[in-house]
Amino acid sequence: MSQPVLSVSGLAKDYGNGQGCFDIDFELYEGEVLCIVGESGSGKSTLLSTLAGRLSADAGSVRFRDRAGSSHELTTLAEAERRRLARSEWGFVTQHARDGLRMNVSAGANVSERLMALGQRHYGQLRETAAQWLEKVEISRERLDDRPTAFSGGMQQRLQIARNLVTQPRLVFMDEPTGGLDVSVQARFLDLLRRLVHDTGIAVIMVTHDLGVTRLLAQRTLVMQQGRVVEAGLTDQILDDPQHPYSQLLVSSILQA
Amino acid sequence: MTETCHSQWQYNFAFLDENTKRMLRRALLKAVAIPGYQVPFGSREMPLPYGWGTGGIQLTASIIGQDDVLKVIDQGADDTTNAVNIRRFFARVTSVATTSSTAAASLIQSRHRIPETPLRPGQIMVFQVPEPEALRTLEASEVETRKLHAHQEYGLMHVKLYEDIARFGHIATSYDYPVMVNQRYLSSPSPIPKFDNPKLHMSPALLLFGAGREKRLYAIPPHTRVESLAFEDHPFTVQRWEQACALCGSHDSYLDEIITDDAGARMFVCSDTDYCQQQQESKA
């Protein structure tokens, strides 16, 4: 617990027109959920993609500590190594389940894909592991051979979680995972997520514009505006006593309802 | 008649111009040096449409010599339309000897089969490949599939096999069955039945694959390890038939099912016509 899973300092991604994200510093520890909130276009998703190596950073450093305890500098990491980490140590949950799932193969194959990528070649074991994970995300194991197209939006999103967590990653990136879900489904989804994070001790970085999600899940929160972090700290502190004018606006405009 | 044709418009030997043949041979050398790796090449317009074997014809044209003896098969048979036409095409533009005997041929172009008669060192097989990318059905992006090959990330191929077992209870892929060449590159063996996959492994002959529309060629050099993918609890198996060939009585060749009348009567015969004939002659 003493060493952070991820430490970010001075990170910048500049699109060249003033857009992007700049001067990002934070640390993330095991079992911690960090939410990044802010309005549309404030650089949340850019930051997430830059951290996950999907975009190349223009300045700063991102250090990731893997399961074995060795440290990797993600901004200069070779692609082969980055892809290896992405398969074994990270997960990425997208806003639209369609982007994160293979829609034309069964739920079981979706969950097993990462295991097979890591070299598991026993069909019976793969299937059993997949069934267990479906149950963990509250999908009946009878649905193992159904395609995700036959699933509801909430189930697809839970399937995406199972597909990402099956290899027990240390760090999961989530880009507005509750974006397309209605409120009751959202609540169950968040409940499930909180339990999984608690049980597995993974670290999560989640982009959201829903402060309700932040309050439920996150220990710490970054508030972003125009590509910069304007306020960072414990979630309760930020939501109950926002200091920066923009955070105050955000909190007052959303929590009133 | 033939002679007047020749004097009027002479084709270069084997139809392609010498520069194109050199380009193809250069690509082939690279393909042989990196077994299973798909080498891009500048596919030429051929006097027949894509899908009819333009890739295979270009490879054959680039390596055929005056002394070669050419055999062309389509579905194992020497007397089917595609085989007859390609054989006649090369007879016309190269005047090399053609044969239907596997043993007598030095160069064999094939569409779906590897002959039953074992190949020998020095022979070259050319395959006509419709889709050289084994991962294509699962990953549509060429950029991505090339990265998967570069990083040797082949978990995706097992997703397809998993899906087969989940849906049919066994690996139902029966042709174009994915193979790992030399423990490095995942390759499509072109649409040969998986029955022929074991013949790829440690083959004494050079195996060349050409895809005209996709503009890719690749090779399995002689004595290269070729492994068919499978699961530990669902190992690779080939097709077996309860019948023997109705014509030659062979028990270990690949059989075609032929419906013989309107009442549903059927017979099973060897798909390799040359092999079947040899078996019949040896019995007679």
PDB file of all heavy atoms in Angstrom, chain A residues 48 54 90-97 99-100 114 156-165 172-178 189 193 204-207:
ATOM      1  N   LEU A  48      -7.565  10.566 -19.732  1.00  0.00           N
ATOM      2  CA  LEU A  48      -7.688   9.123 -19.548  1.00  0.00           C
ATOM      3  C   LEU A  48      -6.953   8.367 -20.666  1.00  0.00           C
ATOM      4  O   LEU A  48      -6.198   7.433 -20.417  1.00  0.00           O
ATOM      5  CB  LEU A  48      -9.162   8.727 -19.517  1.00  0.00           C
ATOM      6  CG  LEU A  48      -9.448   7.359 -18.912  1.00  0.00           C
ATOM      7  CD1 LEU A  48      -9.219   7.382 -17.420  1.00  0.00           C
ATOM      8  CD2 LEU A  48     -10.870   6.914 -19.213  1.00  0.00           C
ATOM      9  N   ARG A  54      -3.199   5.425 -25.057  1.00  0.00           N
ATOM     10  CA  ARG A  54      -3.876   5.451 -26.353  1.00  0.00           C
ATOM     11  C   ARG A  54      -3.524   6.723 -27.115  1.00  0.00           C
ATOM     12  O   ARG A  54      -3.649   6.799 -28.324  1.00  0.00           O
ATOM     13  CB  ARG A  54      -5.382   5.345 -26.162  1.00  0.00           C
ATOM     14  CG  ARG A  54      -5.757   4.009 -25.563  1.00  0.00           C
ATOM     15  CD  ARG A  54      -7.257   3.798 -25.493  1.00  0.00           C
ATOM     16  NE  ARG A  54      -7.515   2.412 -25.087  1.00  0.00           N
ATOM     17  CZ  ARG A  54      -8.682   1.806 -25.224  1.00  0.00           C
ATOM     18  NH1 ARG A  54      -9.695   2.447 -25.741  1.00  0.00           N
ATOM     19  NH2 ARG A  54      -8.827   0.549 -24.847  1.00  0.00           N
ATOM     20  N   TRP A  90      -3.967  -3.995 -17.003  1.00  0.00           N
ATOM     21  CA  TRP A  90      -4.976  -2.945 -17.077  1.00  0.00           C
ATOM     22  C   TRP A  90      -6.289  -3.470 -17.624  1.00  0.00           C
ATOM     23  O   TRP A  90      -6.358  -4.496 -18.260  1.00  0.00           O
ATOM     24  CB  TRP A  90      -4.535  -1.819 -18.040  1.00  0.00           C
ATOM     25  CG  TRP A  90      -3.244  -1.170 -17.699  1.00  0.00           C
ATOM     26  CD1 TRP A  90      -2.613  -1.206 -16.508  1.00  0.00           C
ATOM     27  CD2 TRP A  90      -2.416  -0.425 -18.591  1.00  0.00           C
ATOM     28  NE1 TRP A  90      -1.452  -0.504 -16.582  1.00  0.00           N
ATOM     29  CE2 TRP A  90      -1.298  -0.011 -17.847  1.00  0.00           C
ATOM     30  CE3 TRP A  90      -2.528  -0.045 -19.917  1.00  0.00           C
ATOM     31  CZ2 TRP A  90      -0.288   0.746 -18.407  1.00  0.00           C
ATOM     32  CZ3 TRP A  90      -1.523   0.708 -20.477  1.00  0.00           C
ATOM     33  CH2 TRP A  90      -0.413   1.104 -19.725  1.00  0.00           C
ATOM     34  N   GLY A  91      -7.333  -2.655 -17.373  1.00  0.00           N
ATOM     35  CA  GLY A  91      -8.594  -2.856 -18.055  1.00  0.00           C
ATOM     36  C   GLY A  91      -9.042  -1.518 -18.577  1.00  0.00           C
ATOM     37  O   GLY A  91      -8.600  -0.479 -18.080  1.00  0.00           O
ATOM     38  N   PHE A  92      -9.895  -1.539 -19.598  1.00  0.00           N
ATOM     39  CA  PHE A  92     -10.435  -0.276 -20.094  1.00  0.00           C
ATOM     40  C   PHE A  92     -11.919  -0.484 -20.354  1.00  0.00           C
ATOM     41  O   PHE A  92     -12.307  -1.273 -21.197  1.00  0.00           O
ATOM     42  CB  PHE A  92      -9.704   0.150 -21.379  1.00  0.00           C
ATOM     43  CG  PHE A  92      -9.849   1.623 -21.684  1.00  0.00           C
ATOM     44  CD1 PHE A  92      -8.774   2.483 -21.550  1.00  0.00           C
ATOM     45  CD2 PHE A  92     -11.079   2.152 -22.089  1.00  0.00           C
ATOM     46  CE1 PHE A  92      -8.905   3.844 -21.810  1.00  0.00           C
ATOM     47  CE2 PHE A  92     -11.211   3.512 -22.345  1.00  0.00           C
ATOM     48  CZ  PHE A  92     -10.122   4.352 -22.215  1.00  0.00           C
ATOM     49  N   VAL A  93     -12.753   0.223 -19.587  1.00  0.00           N
ATOM     50  CA  VAL A  93     -14.192   0.101 -19.749  1.00  0.00           C
ATOM     51  C   VAL A  93     -14.692   1.352 -20.454  1.00  0.00           C
ATOM     52  O   VAL A  93     -14.465   2.466 -19.993  1.00  0.00           O
ATOM     53  CB  VAL A  93     -14.889  -0.059 -18.382  1.00  0.00           C
ATOM     54  CG1 VAL A  93     -16.401  -0.093 -18.549  1.00  0.00           C
ATOM     55  CG2 VAL A  93     -14.407  -1.324 -17.691  1.00  0.00           C
ATOM     56  N   THR A  94     -15.326   1.157 -21.598  1.00  0.00           N
ATOM     57  CA  THR A  94     -15.741   2.302 -22.406  1.00  0.00           C
ATOM     58  C   THR A  94     -17.174   2.705 -22.072  1.00  0.00           C
ATOM     59  O   THR A  94     -17.922   1.953 -21.458  1.00  0.00           O
ATOM     60  CB  THR A  94     -15.673   1.966 -23.905  1.00  0.00           C
ATOM     61  OG1 THR A  94     -16.510   0.830 -24.137  1.00  0.00           O
ATOM     62  CG2 THR A  94     -14.261   1.627 -24.321  1.00  0.00           C
ATOM     63  N   GLN A  95     -17.535   3.886 -22.515  1.00  0.00           N
ATOM     64  CA  GLN A  95     -18.889   4.378 -22.253  1.00  0.00           C
ATOM     65  C   GLN A  95     -19.924   3.518 -22.972  1.00  0.00           C
ATOM     66  O   GLN A  95     -20.933   3.138 -22.398  1.00  0.00           O
ATOM     67  CB  GLN A  95     -19.004   5.832 -22.723  1.00  0.00           C
ATOM     68  CG  GLN A  95     -20.409   6.382 -22.539  1.00  0.00           C
ATOM     69  CD  GLN A  95     -20.514   7.849 -22.929  1.00  0.00           C
ATOM     70  OE1 GLN A  95     -19.546   8.436 -23.412  1.00  0.00           O
ATOM     71  NE2 GLN A  95     -21.663   8.426 -22.727  1.00  0.00           N
ATOM     72  N   HIS A  96     -19.645   3.218 -24.237  1.00  0.00           N
ATOM     73  CA  HIS A  96     -20.573   2.393 -25.001  1.00  0.00           C
ATOM     74  C   HIS A  96     -20.040   0.967 -25.007  1.00  0.00           C
ATOM     75  O   HIS A  96     -18.948   0.718 -25.501  1.00  0.00           O
ATOM     76  CB  HIS A  96     -20.714   2.905 -26.424  1.00  0.00           C
ATOM     77  CG  HIS A  96     -21.157   4.339 -26.465  1.00  0.00           C
ATOM     78  ND1 HIS A  96     -22.426   4.710 -26.101  1.00  0.00           N
ATOM     79  CD2 HIS A  96     -20.493   5.468 -26.780  1.00  0.00           C
ATOM     80  CE1 HIS A  96     -22.528   6.030 -26.212  1.00  0.00           C
ATOM     81  NE2 HIS A  96     -21.361   6.517 -26.613  1.00  0.00           N
ATOM     82  N   ALA A  97     -20.840   0.036 -24.453  1.00  0.00           N
ATOM     83  CA  ALA A  97     -20.391  -1.350 -24.352  1.00  0.00           C
ATOM     84  C   ALA A  97     -20.010  -1.898 -25.725  1.00  0.00           C
ATOM     85  O   ALA A  97     -19.140  -2.740 -25.852  1.00  0.00           O
ATOM     86  CB  ALA A  97     -21.496  -2.201 -23.737  1.00  0.00           C
ATOM     87  N   ASP A  99     -18.310  -0.579 -27.976  1.00  0.00           N
ATOM     88  CA  ASP A  99     -16.912  -0.303 -28.309  1.00  0.00           C
ATOM     89  C   ASP A  99     -15.964  -1.230 -27.559  1.00  0.00           C
ATOM     90  O   ASP A  99     -14.829  -1.420 -27.971  1.00  0.00           O
ATOM     91  CB  ASP A  99     -16.550   1.150 -27.961  1.00  0.00           C
ATOM     92  CG  ASP A  99     -17.405   2.131 -28.729  1.00  0.00           C
ATOM     93  OD1 ASP A  99     -17.884   1.751 -29.810  1.00  0.00           O
ATOM     94  OD2 ASP A  99     -17.600   3.259 -28.245  1.00  0.00           O
ATOM     95  N   GLY A 100     -16.425  -1.764 -26.432  1.00  0.00           N
ATOM     96  CA  GLY A 100     -15.527  -2.557 -25.595  1.00  0.00           C
ATOM     97  C   GLY A 100     -15.757  -4.054 -25.686  1.00  0.00           C
ATOM     98  O   GLY A 100     -14.974  -4.826 -25.173  1.00  0.00           O
ATOM     99  N   ARG A 114      -9.342 -12.368 -22.979  1.00  0.00           N
ATOM    100  CA  ARG A 114      -8.081 -11.931 -22.358  1.00  0.00           C
ATOM    101  C   ARG A 114      -7.311 -13.098 -21.782  1.00  0.00           C
ATOM    102  O   ARG A 114      -6.087 -13.121 -21.806  1.00  0.00           O
ATOM    103  CB  ARG A 114      -8.362 -10.882 -21.279  1.00  0.00           C
ATOM    104  CG  ARG A 114      -8.655  -9.516 -21.868  1.00  0.00           C
ATOM    105  CD  ARG A 114      -9.129  -8.555 -20.806  1.00  0.00           C
ATOM    106  NE  ARG A 114      -8.083  -8.231 -19.858  1.00  0.00           N
ATOM    107  CZ  ARG A 114      -7.580  -7.006 -19.679  1.00  0.00           C
ATOM    108  NH1 ARG A 114      -8.006  -6.012 -20.406  1.00  0.00           N
ATOM    109  NH2 ARG A 114      -6.664  -6.780 -18.784  1.00  0.00           N
ATOM    110  N   GLN A 156     -24.858  -5.450 -20.780  1.00  0.00           N
ATOM    111  CA  GLN A 156     -23.667  -5.303 -21.628  1.00  0.00           C
ATOM    112  C   GLN A 156     -22.553  -4.616 -20.859  1.00  0.00           C
ATOM    113  O   GLN A 156     -21.388  -5.002 -20.935  1.00  0.00           O
ATOM    114  CB  GLN A 156     -24.015  -4.481 -22.875  1.00  0.00           C
ATOM    115  CG  GLN A 156     -24.844  -5.235 -23.884  1.00  0.00           C
ATOM    116  CD  GLN A 156     -25.200  -4.383 -25.083  1.00  0.00           C
ATOM    117  OE1 GLN A 156     -24.823  -3.211 -25.160  1.00  0.00           O
ATOM    118  NE2 GLN A 156     -25.929  -4.957 -26.009  1.00  0.00           N
ATOM    119  N   GLN A 157     -22.951  -3.588 -20.090  1.00  0.00           N
ATOM    120  CA  GLN A 157     -21.944  -2.850 -19.331  1.00  0.00           C
ATOM    121  C   GLN A 157     -21.334  -3.750 -18.250  1.00  0.00           C
ATOM    122  O   GLN A 157     -20.121  -3.725 -18.028  1.00  0.00           O
ATOM    123  CB  GLN A 157     -22.610  -1.600 -18.720  1.00  0.00           C
ATOM    124  CG  GLN A 157     -21.710  -0.427 -18.485  1.00  0.00           C
ATOM    125  CD  GLN A 157     -20.901  -0.013 -19.708  1.00  0.00           C
ATOM    126  OE1 GLN A 157     -19.939  -0.659 -20.064  1.00  0.00           O
ATOM    127  NE2 GLN A 157     -21.279   1.078 -20.341  1.00  0.00           N
ATOM    128  N   ARG A 158     -22.151  -4.585 -17.619  1.00  0.00           N
ATOM    129  CA  ARG A 158     -21.623  -5.508 -16.608  1.00  0.00           C
ATOM    130  C   ARG A 158     -20.735  -6.564 -17.257  1.00  0.00           C
ATOM    131  O   ARG A 158     -19.714  -6.961 -16.699  1.00  0.00           O
ATOM    132  CB  ARG A 158     -22.785  -6.177 -15.849  1.00  0.00           C
ATOM    133  CG  ARG A 158     -23.599  -5.197 -15.028  1.00  0.00           C
ATOM    134  CD  ARG A 158     -24.323  -5.893 -13.894  1.00  0.00           C
ATOM    135  NE  ARG A 158     -25.284  -6.892 -14.337  1.00  0.00           N
ATOM    136  CZ  ARG A 158     -26.545  -6.616 -14.669  1.00  0.00           C
ATOM    137  NH1 ARG A 158     -26.985  -5.381 -14.612  1.00  0.00           N
ATOM    138  NH2 ARG A 158     -27.365  -7.573 -15.044  1.00  0.00           N
ATOM    139  N   LEU A 159     -21.138  -6.997 -18.461  1.00  0.00           N
ATOM    140  CA  LEU A 159     -20.316  -7.972 -19.183  1.00  0.00           C
ATOM    141  C   LEU A 159     -18.946  -7.369 -19.490  1.00  0.00           C
ATOM    142  O   LEU A 159     -17.914  -8.039 -19.399  1.00  0.00           O
ATOM    143  CB  LEU A 159     -21.032  -8.380 -20.484  1.00  0.00           C
ATOM    144  CG  LEU A 159     -20.320  -9.423 -21.348  1.00  0.00           C
ATOM    145  CD1 LEU A 159     -20.182 -10.738 -20.591  1.00  0.00           C
ATOM    146  CD2 LEU A 159     -21.067  -9.656 -22.652  1.00  0.00           C
ATOM    147  N   GLN A 160     -18.957  -6.097 -19.840  1.00  0.00           N
ATOM    148  CA  GLN A 160     -17.694  -5.421 -20.128  1.00  0.00           C
ATOM    149  C   GLN A 160     -16.785  -5.401 -18.902  1.00  0.00           C
ATOM    150  O   GLN A 160     -15.574  -5.571 -19.011  1.00  0.00           O
ATOM    151  CB  GLN A 160     -18.005  -3.987 -20.601  1.00  0.00           C
ATOM    152  CG  GLN A 160     -16.954  -3.473 -21.521  1.00  0.00           C
ATOM    153  CD  GLN A 160     -17.058  -1.989 -21.818  1.00  0.00           C
ATOM    154  OE1 GLN A 160     -16.089  -1.426 -22.259  1.00  0.00           O
ATOM    155  NE2 GLN A 160     -18.184  -1.355 -21.606  1.00  0.00           N
ATOM    156  N   ILE A 161     -17.412  -5.201 -17.732  1.00  0.00           N
ATOM    157  CA  ILE A 161     -16.643  -5.223 -16.491  1.00  0.00           C
ATOM    158  C   ILE A 161     -16.023  -6.608 -16.293  1.00  0.00           C
ATOM    159  O   ILE A 161     -14.828  -6.754 -16.016  1.00  0.00           O
ATOM    160  CB  ILE A 161     -17.554  -4.892 -15.282  1.00  0.00           C
ATOM    161  CG1 ILE A 161     -18.126  -3.489 -15.402  1.00  0.00           C
ATOM    162  CG2 ILE A 161     -16.809  -5.081 -13.972  1.00  0.00           C
ATOM    163  CD1 ILE A 161     -17.219  -2.400 -14.984  1.00  0.00           C
ATOM    164  N   ALA A 162     -16.844  -7.655 -16.487  1.00  0.00           N
ATOM    165  CA  ALA A 162     -16.356  -9.024 -16.298  1.00  0.00           C
ATOM    166  C   ALA A 162     -15.203  -9.296 -17.248  1.00  0.00           C
ATOM    167  O   ALA A 162     -14.181  -9.872 -16.880  1.00  0.00           O
ATOM    168  CB  ALA A 162     -17.481 -10.019 -16.543  1.00  0.00           C
ATOM    169  N   ARG A 163     -15.361  -8.887 -18.502  1.00  0.00           N
ATOM    170  CA  ARG A 163     -14.344  -9.117 -19.519  1.00  0.00           C
ATOM    171  C   ARG A 163     -13.019  -8.456 -19.136  1.00  0.00           C
ATOM    172  O   ARG A 163     -11.948  -8.980 -19.418  1.00  0.00           O
ATOM    173  CB  ARG A 163     -14.882  -8.539 -20.831  1.00  0.00           C
ATOM    174  CG  ARG A 163     -13.930  -8.484 -21.984  1.00  0.00           C
ATOM    175  CD  ARG A 163     -14.663  -7.837 -23.140  1.00  0.00           C
ATOM    176  NE  ARG A 163     -13.751  -7.269 -24.108  1.00  0.00           N
ATOM    177  CZ  ARG A 163     -13.292  -7.931 -25.165  1.00  0.00           C
ATOM    178  NH1 ARG A 163     -13.662  -9.160 -25.354  1.00  0.00           N
ATOM    179  NH2 ARG A 163     -12.473  -7.355 -26.014  1.00  0.00           N
ATOM    180  N   ASN A 164     -13.115  -7.304 -18.465  1.00  0.00           N
ATOM    181  CA  ASN A 164     -11.902  -6.594 -18.085  1.00  0.00           C
ATOM    182  C   ASN A 164     -11.287  -7.115 -16.793  1.00  0.00           C
ATOM    183  O   ASN A 164     -10.072  -7.114 -16.634  1.00  0.00           O
ATOM    184  CB  ASN A 164     -12.188  -5.100 -17.939  1.00  0.00           C
ATOM    185  CG  ASN A 164     -12.085  -4.381 -19.258  1.00  0.00           C
ATOM    186  OD1 ASN A 164     -11.000  -4.134 -19.753  1.00  0.00           O
ATOM    187  ND2 ASN A 164     -13.221  -4.093 -19.856  1.00  0.00           N
ATOM    188  N   LEU A 165     -12.149  -7.557 -15.878  1.00  0.00           N
ATOM    189  CA  LEU A 165     -11.617  -7.940 -14.568  1.00  0.00           C
ATOM    190  C   LEU A 165     -11.168  -9.394 -14.493  1.00  0.00           C
ATOM    191  O   LEU A 165     -10.542  -9.806 -13.523  1.00  0.00           O
ATOM    192  CB  LEU A 165     -12.661  -7.679 -13.471  1.00  0.00           C
ATOM    193  CG  LEU A 165     -13.014  -6.218 -13.227  1.00  0.00           C
ATOM    194  CD1 LEU A 165     -13.814  -6.068 -11.944  1.00  0.00           C
ATOM    195  CD2 LEU A 165     -11.777  -5.335 -13.165  1.00  0.00           C
ATOM    196  N   VAL A 172      -7.814  -0.154 -13.578  1.00  0.00           N
ATOM    197  CA  VAL A 172      -8.875  -0.142 -14.585  1.00  0.00           C
ATOM    198  C   VAL A 172      -9.240   1.298 -14.915  1.00  0.00           C
ATOM    199  O   VAL A 172      -9.480   2.107 -14.017  1.00  0.00           O
ATOM    200  CB  VAL A 172     -10.123  -0.907 -14.102  1.00  0.00           C
ATOM    201  CG1 VAL A 172     -11.225  -0.840 -15.148  1.00  0.00           C
ATOM    202  CG2 VAL A 172      -9.785  -2.352 -13.799  1.00  0.00           C
ATOM    203  N   PHE A 173      -9.229   1.608 -16.204  1.00  0.00           N
ATOM    204  CA  PHE A 173      -9.673   2.923 -16.675  1.00  0.00           C
ATOM    205  C   PHE A 173     -11.138   2.811 -17.065  1.00  0.00           C
ATOM    206  O   PHE A 173     -11.524   1.873 -17.740  1.00  0.00           O
ATOM    207  CB  PHE A 173      -8.870   3.349 -17.902  1.00  0.00           C
ATOM    208  CG  PHE A 173      -7.393   3.433 -17.672  1.00  0.00           C
ATOM    209  CD1 PHE A 173      -6.548   2.391 -18.052  1.00  0.00           C
ATOM    210  CD2 PHE A 173      -6.832   4.555 -17.086  1.00  0.00           C
ATOM    211  CE1 PHE A 173      -5.185   2.461 -17.838  1.00  0.00           C
ATOM    212  CE2 PHE A 173      -5.459   4.634 -16.870  1.00  0.00           C
ATOM    213  CZ  PHE A 173      -4.636   3.588 -17.248  1.00  0.00           C
ATOM    214  N   MET A 174     -11.943   3.779 -16.634  1.00  0.00           N
ATOM    215  CA  MET A 174     -13.350   3.760 -17.031  1.00  0.00           C
ATOM    216  C   MET A 174     -13.734   5.122 -17.578  1.00  0.00           C
ATOM    217  O   MET A 174     -13.499   6.145 -16.949  1.00  0.00           O
ATOM    218  CB  MET A 174     -14.239   3.426 -15.829  1.00  0.00           C
ATOM    219  CG  MET A 174     -13.965   2.050 -15.268  1.00  0.00           C
ATOM    220  SD  MET A 174     -15.236   1.549 -14.115  1.00  0.00           S
ATOM    221  CE  MET A 174     -14.506   0.024 -13.511  1.00  0.00           C
ATOM    222  N   ASP A 175     -14.322   5.091 -18.778  1.00  0.00           N
ATOM    223  CA  ASP A 175     -14.727   6.335 -19.418  1.00  0.00           C
ATOM    224  C   ASP A 175     -16.248   6.420 -19.381  1.00  0.00           C
ATOM    225  O   ASP A 175     -16.925   5.830 -20.210  1.00  0.00           O
ATOM    226  CB  ASP A 175     -14.204   6.358 -20.861  1.00  0.00           C
ATOM    227  CG  ASP A 175     -14.303   7.752 -21.463  1.00  0.00           C
ATOM    228  OD1 ASP A 175     -14.794   8.664 -20.769  1.00  0.00           O
ATOM    229  OD2 ASP A 175     -13.897   7.914 -22.615  1.00  0.00           O
ATOM    230  N   GLU A 176     -16.780   7.146 -18.416  1.00  0.00           N
ATOM    231  CA  GLU A 176     -18.219   7.307 -18.237  1.00  0.00           C
ATOM    232  C   GLU A 176     -18.981   5.992 -18.381  1.00  0.00           C
ATOM    233  O   GLU A 176     -19.837   5.851 -19.251  1.00  0.00           O
ATOM    234  CB  GLU A 176     -18.753   8.325 -19.251  1.00  0.00           C
ATOM    235  CG  GLU A 176     -18.031   9.646 -19.116  1.00  0.00           C
ATOM    236  CD  GLU A 176     -18.778  10.794 -19.780  1.00  0.00           C
ATOM    237  OE1 GLU A 176     -20.007  10.680 -19.887  1.00  0.00           O
ATOM    238  OE2 GLU A 176     -18.133  11.768 -20.159  1.00  0.00           O
ATOM    239  N   PRO A 177     -18.680   5.023 -17.527  1.00  0.00           N
ATOM    240  CA  PRO A 177     -19.297   3.699 -17.692  1.00  0.00           C
ATOM    241  C   PRO A 177     -20.796   3.705 -17.440  1.00  0.00           C
ATOM    242  O   PRO A 177     -21.488   2.802 -17.860  1.00  0.00           O
ATOM    243  CB  PRO A 177     -18.579   2.841 -16.644  1.00  0.00           C
ATOM    244  CG  PRO A 177     -18.127   3.807 -15.619  1.00  0.00           C
ATOM    245  CD  PRO A 177     -17.815   5.078 -16.346  1.00  0.00           C
ATOM    246  N   THR A 178     -21.300   4.733 -16.763  1.00  0.00           N
ATOM    247  CA  THR A 178     -22.732   4.760 -16.467  1.00  0.00           C
ATOM    248  C   THR A 178     -23.488   5.690 -17.411  1.00  0.00           C
ATOM    249  O   THR A 178     -24.685   5.894 -17.249  1.00  0.00           O
ATOM    250  CB  THR A 178     -22.980   5.232 -15.017  1.00  0.00           C
ATOM    251  OG1 THR A 178     -22.367   6.519 -14.856  1.00  0.00           O
ATOM    252  CG2 THR A 178     -22.381   4.271 -14.022  1.00  0.00           C
ATOM    253  N   PHE A 189     -25.421  -0.977 -10.861  1.00  0.00           N
ATOM    254  CA  PHE A 189     -24.102  -1.083 -11.481  1.00  0.00           C
ATOM    255  C   PHE A 189     -23.025  -0.525 -10.555  1.00  0.00           C
ATOM    256  O   PHE A 189     -21.967  -1.127 -10.354  1.00  0.00           O
ATOM    257  CB  PHE A 189     -24.121  -0.342 -12.817  1.00  0.00           C
ATOM    258  CG  PHE A 189     -22.805  -0.344 -13.536  1.00  0.00           C
ATOM    259  CD1 PHE A 189     -22.390  -1.456 -14.240  1.00  0.00           C
ATOM    260  CD2 PHE A 189     -21.990   0.770 -13.509  1.00  0.00           C
ATOM    261  CE1 PHE A 189     -21.186  -1.463 -14.897  1.00  0.00           C
ATOM    262  CE2 PHE A 189     -20.771   0.766 -14.169  1.00  0.00           C
ATOM    263  CZ  PHE A 189     -20.381  -0.354 -14.864  1.00  0.00           C
ATOM    264  N   LEU A 193     -19.920  -2.394  -8.740  1.00  0.00           N
ATOM    265  CA  LEU A 193     -18.563  -1.905  -8.973  1.00  0.00           C
ATOM    266  C   LEU A 193     -17.851  -1.677  -7.641  1.00  0.00           C
ATOM    267  O   LEU A 193     -16.692  -2.055  -7.468  1.00  0.00           O
ATOM    268  CB  LEU A 193     -18.661  -0.593  -9.751  1.00  0.00           C
ATOM    269  CG  LEU A 193     -17.479  -0.239 -10.620  1.00  0.00           C
ATOM    270  CD1 LEU A 193     -17.223  -1.352 -11.614  1.00  0.00           C
ATOM    271  CD2 LEU A 193     -17.780   1.045 -11.371  1.00  0.00           C
ATOM    272  N   VAL A 204      -8.932   2.235  -9.621  1.00  0.00           N
ATOM    273  CA  VAL A 204      -9.792   2.658 -10.727  1.00  0.00           C
ATOM    274  C   VAL A 204      -9.635   4.149 -10.972  1.00  0.00           C
ATOM    275  O   VAL A 204      -9.620   4.945 -10.035  1.00  0.00           O
ATOM    276  CB  VAL A 204     -11.283   2.349 -10.420  1.00  0.00           C
ATOM    277  CG1 VAL A 204     -12.177   2.846 -11.538  1.00  0.00           C
ATOM    278  CG2 VAL A 204     -11.489   0.869 -10.186  1.00  0.00           C
ATOM    279  N   ILE A 205      -9.482   4.515 -12.237  1.00  0.00           N
ATOM    280  CA  ILE A 205      -9.579   5.920 -12.615  1.00  0.00           C
ATOM    281  C   ILE A 205     -10.823   6.050 -13.473  1.00  0.00           C
ATOM    282  O   ILE A 205     -10.935   5.398 -14.508  1.00  0.00           O
ATOM    283  CB  ILE A 205      -8.356   6.384 -13.435  1.00  0.00           C
ATOM    284  CG1 ILE A 205      -7.073   6.192 -12.628  1.00  0.00           C
ATOM    285  CG2 ILE A 205      -8.515   7.847 -13.841  1.00  0.00           C
ATOM    286  CD1 ILE A 205      -5.836   6.623 -13.375  1.00  0.00           C
ATOM    287  N   MET A 206     -11.771   6.852 -13.017  1.00  0.00           N
ATOM    288  CA  MET A 206     -13.036   6.931 -13.726  1.00  0.00           C
ATOM    289  C   MET A 206     -13.339   8.363 -14.145  1.00  0.00           C
ATOM    290  O   MET A 206     -13.284   9.287 -13.339  1.00  0.00           O
ATOM    291  CB  MET A 206     -14.161   6.414 -12.824  1.00  0.00           C
ATOM    292  CG  MET A 206     -15.502   6.360 -13.525  1.00  0.00           C
ATOM    293  SD  MET A 206     -16.836   5.985 -12.398  1.00  0.00           S
ATOM    294  CE  MET A 206     -16.484   4.293 -12.017  1.00  0.00           C
ATOM    295  N   VAL A 207     -13.648   8.518 -15.422  1.00  0.00           N
ATOM    296  CA  VAL A 207     -14.082   9.807 -15.921  1.00  0.00           C
ATOM    297  C   VAL A 207     -15.596   9.844 -15.854  1.00  0.00           C
ATOM    298  O   VAL A 207     -16.256   8.896 -16.261  1.00  0.00           O
ATOM    299  CB  VAL A 207     -13.614   9.995 -17.378  1.00  0.00           C
ATOM    300  CG1 VAL A 207     -14.414  11.091 -18.064  1.00  0.00           C
ATOM    301  CG2 VAL A 207     -12.135  10.305 -17.422  1.00  0.00           C
TER     302      VAL A 207
END
